[in-house]
Amino acid sequence: MRVLFAALALLLWLSAGAAQAQSLWVEIDLSDQQMVVFDRGAAYVWPVSTARAGKVTPVGSFTPYALERMHYSTLYHNAPMPWSIFFRGNYAIHGTTAVDRLGTPASAGCVRLAPENARVLFEAVQMVGLSETRIVIRP
């Protein structure tokens, strides 16, 4: 149901002319542990893992500021973070090896994706540019 709502919101957004501002729209729903990506006419829906109990994934609207093909966490024992898209401080969307946890809160705050999906998203951000990408995280 939330995917339908996101699709309708995007259509309204496009009809209002906001598409001039961002050509890549990423919406993450914390309650559904799901990401919807709208990329120049294509749409993807992927399961994610966000903050587990006691941790926080920031809510709001963000423009990513850095991309790293392979990042190693300086906060969490050099954990690998492939296809990292940093959007606020140390918070990023990135691939994970814990794919069995996708769809459930499991991270320290980052948004985790299956590596193949993280790569698709990373390459889409590279193609359109950081400033043309909007990441929206909803509770």
Side-chain angles (χ1 to χ4, degrees):
M1 186 60 148
R2 291 192 91 114
V3 173
L4 178 60
F5 175 76
L8 291 172
L10 179 68
L11 287 174
L12 290 171
W13 179 69
L14 291 172
S15 67
Q20 306 309 317
Q22 266 79 37
S23 54
L24 181 61
W25 182 269
V26 180
E27 186 162 325
I28 298 150
D29 186 314
L30 299 180
S31 63
D32 286 347
Q33 294 293 290
Q34 183 171 274
M35 174 186 290
V36 180
V37 177
F38 299 100
D39 180 15
R40 297 161 292 160
Y44 305 95
V45 179
W46 297 318
V48 298
S49 284
T50 60
R52 64 186 176 268
K55 300 292 183 177
V56 175
T57 297
V59 173
S61 182
F62 309 93
T63 300
Y65 68 88
L67 296 172
E68 285 192 45
R69 161 60 192 91
M70 178 53 85
H71 179 80
Y72 293 92
S73 174
T74 57
L75 300 174
Y76 295 98
H77 313 292
N78 287 322
M81 298 167 56
W83 312 110
S84 289
I85 303 164
F86 287 89
F87 61 90
R88 180 179 172 202
N90 290 318
Y91 293 98
I93 298 170
H94 62 81
T96 183
T97 56
V99 292
D100 58 321
R101 302 292 308 272
L102 293 174
T104 64
S107 81
C110 286
V111 179
R112 297 179 183 175
L113 282 171
E116 61 274 14
N117 297 338
R119 181 179 182 170
V120 168
L121 182 58
F122 183 94
E123 291 173 351
V125 174
Q126 275 186 318
M127 174 132 352
V128 303
L130 296 169
S131 66
E132 295 299 313
T133 302
R134 175 65 59 202
I135 298 168
V136 177
I137 303 176
R138 302 190 189 285

